[in-house]
CSV table of all heavy atoms in Angstrom, one decimal:
chain,number,residue,atom,x,y,z
A,22,ARG,N,12.7,-6.6,-16.8
A,22,ARG,CA,12.8,-5.9,-15.5
A,22,ARG,C,11.5,-5.8,-14.8
A,22,ARG,O,10.4,-5.7,-15.5
A,22,ARG,CB,13.4,-4.6,-15.6
A,22,ARG,CG,14.9,-4.6,-16.1
A,22,ARG,CD,15.4,-3.2,-16.4
A,22,ARG,NE,16.8,-3.3,-16.8
A,22,ARG,CZ,17.3,-3.6,-18.0
A,22,ARG,NH1,16.4,-3.9,-19.0
A,22,ARG,NH2,18.5,-3.6,-18.3
A,23,CYS,N,11.5,-5.8,-13.5
A,23,CYS,CA,10.2,-5.8,-12.7
A,23,CYS,C,10.4,-5.1,-11.4
A,23,CYS,O,11.4,-5.3,-10.7
A,23,CYS,CB,9.7,-7.2,-12.4
A,23,CYS,SG,8.2,-7.3,-11.4
A,24,LYS,N,9.5,-4.2,-11.1
A,24,LYS,CA,9.4,-3.5,-9.8
A,24,LYS,C,8.1,-4.0,-9.1
A,24,LYS,O,7.0,-3.6,-9.6
A,24,LYS,CB,9.4,-2.0,-9.9
A,24,LYS,CG,9.3,-1.2,-8.7
A,24,LYS,CD,9.4,0.2,-8.9
A,24,LYS,CE,8.9,1.1,-7.8
A,24,LYS,NZ,9.6,0.8,-6.5
A,25,PRO,N,8.2,-4.7,-8.0
A,25,PRO,CA,6.9,-5.2,-7.4
A,25,PRO,C,6.2,-4.1,-6.6
A,25,PRO,O,6.8,-3.0,-6.5
A,25,PRO,CB,7.4,-6.3,-6.4
A,25,PRO,CG,8.8,-5.8,-6.1
A,25,PRO,CD,9.3,-5.2,-7.3
A,26,ILE,N,5.0,-4.4,-6.2
A,26,ILE,CA,4.3,-3.4,-5.3
A,26,ILE,C,5.0,-3.3,-4.0
A,26,ILE,O,5.4,-4.3,-3.4
A,26,ILE,CB,2.8,-3.8,-5.1
A,26,ILE,CG1,2.1,-3.7,-6.5
A,26,ILE,CG2,2.2,-3.0,-4.1
A,26,ILE,CD1,0.7,-4.3,-6.4
A,27,SER,N,5.2,-2.1,-3.6
A,27,SER,CA,5.9,-1.8,-2.3
A,27,SER,C,5.3,-2.6,-1.2
A,27,SER,O,4.1,-2.5,-1.0
A,27,SER,CB,5.9,-0.3,-2.0
A,27,SER,OG,6.6,0.0,-0.8
A,28,GLY,N,6.1,-3.3,-0.4
A,28,GLY,CA,5.6,-4.0,0.7
A,28,GLY,C,5.3,-5.5,0.5
A,28,GLY,O,5.2,-6.3,1.4
A,29,HIS,N,5.1,-5.8,-0.8
A,29,HIS,CA,4.9,-7.2,-1.1
A,29,HIS,C,6.2,-8.0,-1.0
A,29,HIS,O,7.3,-7.6,-1.4
A,29,HIS,CB,4.5,-7.3,-2.6
A,29,HIS,CG,3.0,-7.0,-2.8
A,29,HIS,ND1,2.3,-7.2,-4.0
A,29,HIS,CD2,2.1,-6.5,-1.9
A,29,HIS,CE1,1.1,-6.9,-3.9
A,29,HIS,NE2,0.9,-6.4,-2.6
A,30,ASP,N,6.1,-9.2,-0.3
A,30,ASP,CA,7.3,-9.9,-0.1
A,30,ASP,C,7.5,-11.2,-1.0
A,30,ASP,O,8.4,-11.9,-0.8
A,30,ASP,CB,7.4,-10.3,1.4
A,30,ASP,CG,6.1,-10.9,1.9
A,30,ASP,OD1,5.1,-11.1,1.1
A,30,ASP,OD2,6.0,-11.3,3.1
A,31,TYR,N,6.5,-11.4,-1.9
A,31,TYR,CA,6.6,-12.4,-2.9
A,31,TYR,C,6.7,-11.8,-4.3
A,31,TYR,O,5.9,-10.9,-4.6
A,31,TYR,CB,5.5,-13.4,-2.8
A,31,TYR,CG,5.6,-14.5,-1.7
A,31,TYR,CD1,5.2,-14.2,-0.4
A,31,TYR,CD2,6.1,-15.7,-2.1
A,31,TYR,CE1,5.4,-15.2,0.5
A,31,TYR,CE2,6.3,-16.7,-1.1
A,31,TYR,CZ,5.9,-16.5,0.2
A,31,TYR,OH,6.0,-17.4,1.1
A,32,LEU,N,7.6,-12.4,-5.1
A,32,LEU,CA,7.6,-12.0,-6.5
A,32,LEU,C,7.7,-13.2,-7.4
A,32,LEU,O,8.5,-14.1,-7.1
A,32,LEU,CB,8.9,-11.1,-6.7
A,32,LEU,CG,9.0,-10.5,-8.2
A,32,LEU,CD1,9.4,-9.0,-8.1
A,32,LEU,CD2,9.9,-11.3,-9.0
A,33,PHE,N,6.9,-13.1,-8.5
A,33,PHE,CA,6.8,-14.3,-9.4
A,33,PHE,C,7.1,-13.9,-10.8
A,33,PHE,O,6.7,-12.8,-11.2
A,33,PHE,CB,5.3,-14.9,-9.3
A,33,PHE,CG,4.9,-15.2,-7.9
A,33,PHE,CD1,4.4,-14.3,-7.1
A,33,PHE,CD2,4.8,-16.6,-7.6
A,33,PHE,CE1,3.9,-14.6,-5.8
A,33,PHE,CE2,4.4,-16.9,-6.3
A,33,PHE,CZ,3.9,-15.9,-5.4
A,34,TRP,N,7.7,-14.7,-11.5
A,34,TRP,CA,7.9,-14.6,-13.0
A,34,TRP,C,7.1,-15.7,-13.7
A,34,TRP,O,7.3,-16.9,-13.4
A,34,TRP,CB,9.3,-14.7,-13.4
A,34,TRP,CG,10.1,-13.4,-13.1
A,34,TRP,CD1,11.0,-13.2,-12.1
A,34,TRP,CD2,10.1,-12.2,-13.9
A,34,TRP,NE1,11.5,-11.9,-12.2
A,34,TRP,CE2,11.0,-11.3,-13.3
A,34,TRP,CE3,9.5,-11.8,-15.1
A,34,TRP,CZ2,11.3,-10.1,-13.8
A,34,TRP,CZ3,9.8,-10.6,-15.6
A,34,TRP,CH2,10.7,-9.7,-15.0
A,35,TYR,N,6.1,-15.3,-14.6
A,35,TYR,CA,5.4,-16.2,-15.4
A,35,TYR,C,5.6,-16.0,-16.9
A,35,TYR,O,6.0,-14.9,-17.3
A,35,TYR,CB,3.8,-16.0,-15.2
A,35,TYR,CG,3.3,-16.5,-13.9
A,35,TYR,CD1,3.3,-15.8,-12.7
A,35,TYR,CD2,2.8,-17.8,-13.8
A,35,TYR,CE1,2.8,-16.3,-11.5
A,35,TYR,CE2,2.2,-18.3,-12.6
A,35,TYR,CZ,2.3,-17.5,-11.5
A,35,TYR,OH,1.7,-18.0,-10.3
A,36,ARG,N,5.5,-17.0,-17.6
A,36,ARG,CA,5.6,-16.9,-19.1
A,36,ARG,C,4.2,-17.4,-19.7
A,36,ARG,O,3.7,-18.4,-19.2
A,36,ARG,CB,6.7,-17.8,-19.6
A,36,ARG,CG,6.8,-17.8,-21.1
A,36,ARG,CD,8.1,-18.5,-21.6
A,36,ARG,NE,8.0,-20.0,-21.3
A,36,ARG,CZ,9.0,-20.8,-21.7
A,36,ARG,NH1,10.1,-20.4,-22.3
A,36,ARG,NH2,8.9,-22.1,-21.5
A,37,GLN,N,3.7,-16.6,-20.6
A,37,GLN,CA,2.4,-17.0,-21.2
A,37,GLN,C,2.6,-17.2,-22.7
A,37,GLN,O,3.0,-16.3,-23.5
A,37,GLN,CB,1.4,-15.9,-21.0
A,37,GLN,CG,0.0,-16.3,-21.4
A,37,GLN,CD,-1.1,-15.3,-21.1
A,37,GLN,OE1,-0.9,-14.1,-21.1
A,37,GLN,NE2,-2.3,-15.8,-20.7
A,38,THR,N,2.1,-18.4,-23.2
A,38,THR,CA,2.1,-18.7,-24.6
A,38,THR,C,0.7,-19.3,-24.9
A,38,THR,O,0.1,-19.8,-24.0
A,38,THR,CB,3.2,-19.6,-25.0
A,38,THR,OG1,3.0,-20.9,-24.3
A,38,THR,CG2,4.6,-19.1,-24.8
A,39,MET,N,0.4,-19.3,-26.2
A,39,MET,CA,-0.9,-20.0,-26.6
A,39,MET,C,-0.9,-21.4,-26.3
A,39,MET,O,-1.8,-22.0,-25.8
A,39,MET,CB,-1.2,-19.7,-28.0
A,39,MET,CG,-1.6,-18.3,-28.4
A,39,MET,SD,-3.2,-17.9,-27.7
A,39,MET,CE,-4.3,-18.9,-28.7
A,40,MET,N,0.3,-22.0,-26.5
A,40,MET,CA,0.4,-23.5,-26.4
A,40,MET,C,0.4,-24.0,-24.9
A,40,MET,O,-0.1,-25.0,-24.6
A,40,MET,CB,1.6,-24.0,-27.1
A,40,MET,CG,1.6,-23.9,-28.6
A,40,MET,SD,0.2,-24.9,-29.3
A,40,MET,CE,0.9,-26.5,-28.9
A,41,ARG,N,1.1,-23.2,-24.1
A,41,ARG,CA,1.4,-23.7,-22.7
A,41,ARG,C,0.7,-22.9,-21.6
A,41,ARG,O,0.9,-23.2,-20.4
A,41,ARG,CB,2.9,-23.7,-22.5
A,41,ARG,CG,3.7,-24.6,-23.5
A,41,ARG,CD,5.2,-24.5,-23.3
A,41,ARG,NE,5.6,-25.1,-22.0
A,41,ARG,CZ,6.0,-26.3,-21.9
A,41,ARG,NH1,6.0,-27.1,-22.9
A,41,ARG,NH2,6.3,-26.8,-20.7
A,42,GLY,N,0.0,-21.8,-22.0
A,42,GLY,CA,-0.7,-21.1,-21.0
A,42,GLY,C,0.2,-20.3,-20.1
A,42,GLY,O,1.3,-19.8,-20.6
A,43,LEU,N,-0.2,-20.1,-18.9
A,43,LEU,CA,0.6,-19.4,-17.9
A,43,LEU,C,1.4,-20.3,-17.1
A,43,LEU,O,1.0,-21.2,-16.4
A,43,LEU,CB,-0.4,-18.6,-16.9
A,43,LEU,CG,-0.8,-17.2,-17.2
A,43,LEU,CD1,-1.9,-16.8,-16.3
A,43,LEU,CD2,0.4,-16.3,-17.1
A,44,GLU,N,2.7,-20.2,-17.3
A,44,GLU,CA,3.7,-21.1,-16.6
A,44,GLU,C,4.5,-20.3,-15.6
A,44,GLU,O,5.0,-19.2,-15.9
A,44,GLU,CB,4.7,-21.6,-17.6
A,44,GLU,CG,4.2,-22.4,-18.8
A,44,GLU,CD,5.4,-22.8,-19.7
A,44,GLU,OE1,5.7,-22.0,-20.6
A,44,GLU,OE2,6.0,-23.9,-19.5
A,45,LEU,N,4.6,-20.8,-14.4
A,45,LEU,CA,5.4,-20.2,-13.4
A,45,LEU,C,6.9,-20.6,-13.7
A,45,LEU,O,7.2,-21.8,-13.7
A,45,LEU,CB,5.0,-20.7,-12.0
A,45,LEU,CG,5.8,-20.2,-10.8
A,45,LEU,CD1,5.7,-18.7,-10.7
A,45,LEU,CD2,5.4,-20.8,-9.5
A,46,LEU,N,7.7,-19.6,-13.8
A,46,LEU,CA,9.1,-19.9,-14.0
A,46,LEU,C,9.9,-19.9,-12.7
A,46,LEU,O,10.7,-20.9,-12.5
A,46,LEU,CB,9.7,-18.8,-14.9
A,46,LEU,CG,9.1,-18.6,-16.3
A,46,LEU,CD1,9.7,-17.4,-17.0
A,46,LEU,CD2,9.2,-19.8,-17.1
A,47,ILE,N,9.7,-18.9,-11.9
A,47,ILE,CA,10.5,-18.8,-10.6
A,47,ILE,C,9.7,-17.9,-9.7
A,47,ILE,O,9.0,-17.0,-10.2
A,47,ILE,CB,11.9,-18.3,-10.9
A,47,ILE,CG1,12.8,-18.4,-9.6
A,47,ILE,CG2,11.9,-16.9,-11.5
A,47,ILE,CD1,14.2,-18.1,-9.9
Side-chain angles (χ1 to χ4, degrees):
Chain A
R22 296 172 176 80
C23 176
K24 175 179 167 55
I26 291 173
S27 178
H29 281 188
D30 48 2
Y31 276 86
L32 183 140
F33 304 80
W34 283 100
Y35 283 88
R36 177 171 69 177
Q37 186 175 37
T38 61
M39 287 293 292
M40 292 297 293
R41 301 174 70 91
L43 268 168
E44 300 175 274
L45 178 65
L46 301 178
I47 185 172

